[in-house]
Structure formats: structure tokens, C-alpha cells
Amino acid sequence: MTYVVGRRPTEAEMEAARGRSIPDVIAPNLAVLFCGINPGLWSGATGRHFARPGNRFWPALYASGFTPRRYAPGEQESLVTFGLGITNVVARATASADELTRDEYQAGYVTLAAKVRRYTPVWLAVVGVVAYRFAFGRPKAVVGKQDETIGTTRIWVLPNPSGLNAHWTPAALAGEFARLRREAVGARRGPRA
């Protein structure tokens, strides 16, 4: 069964997406590389990051000033023109991040660190403090700018934009994205991609 762009994936398509990975949106020298925990089944079925309706990633990008308008998951490749990209700690699509093991987080960190060293974004924005704690081995980490780096890349931890994350209102989430944006404005290495 093949997903048709523009329609809601069926339950069968989402179940078939279990374990899939989706391509990164990435280029050298980005200002910010956003890093999700792992793709959900909706994202796995559609091949788009943060694709489930109700996920607040795309609205937060716009509300924080990272993009001039609200983009949709199907336009994810456009982010590179703004110096932005998307990847994940763990590539495997699951129904819930609770299905991931500590070993997957640790292996994901190794892969992520190699990717960051290769593409050298100015900032790595880990979207989800729990993912950061598990993958980076920082059990007491909090949202915001981190002291550690990967090579020359600085790290910022953002709240998880899932609609299930009731601890962060849309306005508070956009505010935290905006704090990162203020740090990242003009922070692109080398020529535009």
C-alpha cells in the first residue's frame, strides 16, 4: 500500500510504517538543525517530519519568527533556504517514543554526533528534554541553552512540540523557540546552501 500525499494515512499505512525511517532535511552549515526524538507512525507513513496534525512544531517555527509563514510538513525541504534542517535521535518510526530503548538512544547519539560533525550546524536544537537526557546522558538537563557542544556546534534543548505535551502551551512553546531564534539569527557558517 502506498501513501498518497495530501490525505490522512490509513491505519494499515501507519502500521506498515512501523520501523521505517524518513530522510533528514539537512545541508552543511545550517544555523539550526532541529532534532526530534524519532518519527511517529504518521511521519513514517507520510515521509514527513512532525507530520501528525496537532503537532505544534510547524506553528512554533512560524510563531517564533523562524519562518515568514506557517509551513506544512510537505514543505519541509524549504526549511534549508532559512538555514534550518530536521533530523532525529532515533531513525525508527514507532507509535510512541516509549517504545525506544536506552540502547537505541545511545546508538542514536553516536549517529547524531557524527552527522553534526559532518554538517556543522551552528546550533543543534534537540526537540524534547527527555530525548536529550537519555541520548546525551544528562539526566538533570533542562530546557534551554546547554553548556556542552558537539565539535563547534552549540546545543539548545526545546520542549517536545507534541500536542500531548500539556506542560507547554502553544505560546510558551513558541516563546522558547523564539529564545533560540534570537541566538541563531545570522548564525550560519559559510555560504548559503
Side-chain angles (χ1 to χ4, degrees), residues 40-141:
L41 296 182
W42 196 297
S43 289
T46 63
R48 305 291 187 220
H49 294 275
F50 302 103
R52 181 177 276 288
N55 189 295
R56 301 171 298 173
F57 176 81
W58 298 98
L61 273 186
Y62 171 60
S64 65
F66 270 113
T67 58
R69 66 173 174 82
R70 183 172 168 181
Y71 281 76
E75 300 173 291
Q76 65 187 20
E77 287 80 10
S78 300
L79 291 182
V80 173
T81 63
F82 303 111
L84 309 173
I86 307 175
T87 190
N88 288 291
V89 173
V90 176
R92 178 175 73 95
T94 62
S96 166
D98 293 345
E99 296 176 36
L100 302 176
T101 67
R102 285 200 184 264
D103 287 345
E104 284 180 292
Y105 277 109
Q106 292 167 352
Y109 170 79
V110 171
T111 301
L112 176 62
K115 194 178 299 183
V116 167
R117 285 187 181 95
R118 176 179 177 200
Y119 287 97
T120 64
V122 177
W123 286 96
L124 173 67
V126 180
V127 185
V129 70
V130 172
Y132 180 76
R133 289 173 181 165
F134 286 168
F136 286 69
R138 303 283 186 256
K140 296 183 183 201

